[in-house]
Amino acid sequence: MSTVSDAGLAQQLEQACDTLGLSVTSVQINLLLAYLAQMQRWNRTYNLTAIRDPEQMLVQHLFDSLSVVNPLVRKFDSAVTAKLYDIGSGGGLPGVVLAIMRPAWQVSCVDAVEKKMAFVRQMSGVLSLPNLSAKHARVEDLTPADCDIVISRAFASLNDFASLAGHHVSNDGTLVAMKGKLPEDEIQVLHQQGAWQVENVQPLQVPQLDAQRCLVWMRRSQGTL
């Protein structure tokens, strides 16, 4: 990317953080832009994402991931080290973004595709993020992790997400699914299954994105271990 496009992307990123009410340092801005540049570079060979245009990647990947930072922080005090799994992380969305924005959190990206986890491992080194790790595995095959937060972005239906990843959530933790429009049918199926209940559906406004987004917060049903 040219210096001009770098400056333009940086300005858009700073404006998006301001719109989202995010406190962001120049170091974090540079890390986010470096991650975007690395994603573009690796994408040519490893097909991390179908989106190729840097400005579209900025909005649909970075801004989308940044939109969940404050909602998560409000639930989990940023002064406390939270343990987070990003399930079906792909190229590290939202996991890498969360690791950059919350250095006190321990973030593990989980995906069954080795090349995508190789990329996340590379990002942990290149971006100097000791709080970021990658796990190449199917989520249901991993030893229960006792996480505060288990999040997914376009990974599976709510019921499948809860069934496959729920055992990684601590007793006081939560499952959080990043979704587009309100998934009413998925919520109904989840509640019929019985082990998990939707606690809250939180609308999100992603800067420069003309599409619906929401966070679905899930808790274990009372009496469910």
Side-chain angles (χ1 to χ4, degrees), residues 8 12 38 55-56 82 90 151 182 193 209:
Q12 289 184 64
Q38 290 286 332
E55 290 205 10
Q56 288 185 15
I151 194 167
L182 178 67
Q193 196 273 341
L209 186 64

Side-chain angles (χ1 to χ4, degrees), residues 30-220:
N30 289 336
L31 286 173
L32 289 166
L33 291 175
Y35 171 50
L36 182 68
Q38 290 286 332
M39 193 184 301
Q40 284 181 266
R41 190 169 296 120
W42 278 60
N43 209 30
R44 298 186 191 113
T45 305
Y46 288 89
N47 195 29
L48 299 173
T49 169
I51 300 172
R52 304 290 178 179
D53 179 76
E55 290 205 10
Q56 288 185 15
M57 292 173 79
L58 184 73
V59 174
Q60 296 190 40
H61 290 332
L62 292 197
F63 293 180
D64 193 49
S65 295
L66 286 167
S67 72
V68 308
V69 174
N70 273 343
L72 293 176
V73 168
R74 291 186 193 108
K75 285 275 187 178
F76 298 90
D77 186 349
S78 60
V80 177
T81 298
K83 184 175 182 180
L84 181 146
Y85 266 17
D86 172 18
I87 306 302
S89 182
L93 298 160
V96 174
V97 173
L98 292 172
I100 291 170
M101 297 300 295
R102 303 321 295 167
W105 291 5
Q106 295 300 314
V107 177
S108 296
C109 295
V110 180
D111 202 281
V113 180
E114 165 58 29
K115 64 183 180 183
K116 294 180 178 180
M117 291 299 90
F119 172 70
V120 172
R121 263 183 234 108
Q122 181 78 358
M123 291 308 93
S124 178
V126 168
L127 304 178
S128 298
L129 297 172
N131 63 324
L132 174 67
S133 63
K135 297 182 183 295
H136 170 226
R138 299 180 68 85
V139 61
E140 62 269 30
D141 295 335
L142 289 172
T143 302
D146 204 35
C147 294
D148 302 294
I149 307 163
V150 175
I151 194 167
S152 74
R153 177 180 184 262
F155 167 65
S157 70
L158 295 179
N159 190 53
D160 286 348
F161 177 39
S163 299
L164 294 171
H167 64 289
H168 294 296
V169 181
S170 69
N171 288 336
D172 296 326
T174 185
L175 278 170
V176 189
M178 298 171 66
K179 291 287 184 178
K181 65 179 183 179
L182 178 67
E184 294 180 7
D185 292 345
E186 292 184 23
I187 292 172
Q188 185 177 2
V189 172
L190 178 76
H191 288 175
Q192 287 172 349
Q193 196 273 341
W196 290 82
Q197 295 287 313
V198 170
E199 181 181 44
N200 181 35
V201 178
Q202 182 174 2
L204 296 174
Q205 294 295 326
V206 178
Q208 298 186 36
L209 186 64
D210 185 21
Q212 289 180 294
R213 290 287 189 271
C214 67
L215 275 186
V216 181
W217 299 82
M218 290 167 279
R219 291 274 185 182
R220 284 187 181 87

